[in-house]
Amino acid sequence: MKRILLFTAMLMMTLGISAQRAAVMEFKAGVGISQADVDGISAIFITYFRPAGYTMVERTQIDRVIDEQGFQRSRLTESQMVRIGQILNVSKIVIGDVNVVMGQYNVDVRVINVESGTIAATEGATFSGSSYRTTMQTLAQKLAGKIAISAGPAVSASTASSSSSAS
């Protein structure tokens, strides 16, 4: 087993493929919703957020850094979140807000590039109370697709076969 892991690591280094790290912060409650409800919505998002080329940081590691830095969870600023990302050695940190307006849940999520502090991608969704899981899954997958890292130039089977048949 150790030989397989060593071989895989060497192969990845040889090919220049290195998994980046990303972290998802708990979303913040905005207008018309409790933090407890937002924590549930955030947990569902985290379950489905798996961008290609990234290793996700476990929630307990994020909580440990927040505690060590003496930050208040409910009042984290964007710059504090970037600092947490730097300490965790992640390249991307995901933050989000949830508001309820006119009976509709509105979730707005941003991916922040930790190195530059700039927004790398955004995505949002609106849903009624009963469709939250499917909506959060779709939202997470769309956002993950926006920041996914490919291992290099990909050639799909259909492209490859059409290129070879044209020759």
Side-chain angles (χ1 to χ4, degrees):
M1 183 68 175
K2 287 183 181 180
R3 287 182 184 175
I4 293 171
L5 290 174
L6 180 61
F7 175 75
T8 303
M10 288 176 50
L11 181 62
M12 288 176 68
M13 288 189 309
T14 303
L15 296 174
I17 302 169
S18 61
Q20 301 236 0
R21 292 168 41 102
V24 179
M25 302 295 293
E26 288 182 2
F27 296 171
K28 287 187 178 181
V31 176
I33 190 166
S34 71
Q35 187 61 49
D37 287 341
V38 171
D39 290 347
I41 292 169
S42 178
I44 293 167
F45 178 89
I46 291 167
T47 298
Y48 295 111
F49 186 75
R50 297 287 177 255
Y54 286 87
T55 300
M56 299 305 297
V57 173
E58 175 58 41
R59 177 84 233 154
T60 56
Q61 292 177 351
I62 298 168
D63 291 340
R64 183 181 44 80
V65 170
I66 291 170
D67 292 340
E68 287 174 358
Q69 295 299 307
F71 294 143
Q72 288 188 339
R73 288 182 198 331
S74 63
R75 294 205 171 108
L76 283 172
T77 65
E78 213 164 287
S79 64
Q80 288 173 325
M81 290 183 203
V82 168
R83 178 70 187 130
I84 291 166
Q86 291 168 339
I87 293 168
L88 291 168
N89 192 31
V90 298
S91 59
K92 303 282 190 288
I93 194 158
V94 180
I95 62 174
D97 302 293
V98 182
N99 295 284
V100 177
V101 179
M102 297 177 63
Q104 295 286 312
Y105 290 81
N106 297 287
V107 182
D108 296 299
V109 187
R110 298 173 301 289
V111 177
I112 299 174
N113 182 323
V114 172
E115 186 176 319
S116 66
T118 59
I119 296 174
T122 62
E123 193 63 53
T126 300
F127 59 94
S128 65
S130 62
S131 63
Y132 63 92
R133 181 168 289 280
T134 303
T135 303
M136 294 314 301
Q137 180 178 14
T138 302
L139 177 64
Q141 290 171 345
K142 281 183 181 179
L143 192 61
K146 287 183 175 183
I147 67 163
I149 300 171
S150 66
V155 177
S156 69
S158 61
T159 306
S161 64
S162 63
S163 296
S164 61
S165 61
S167 303

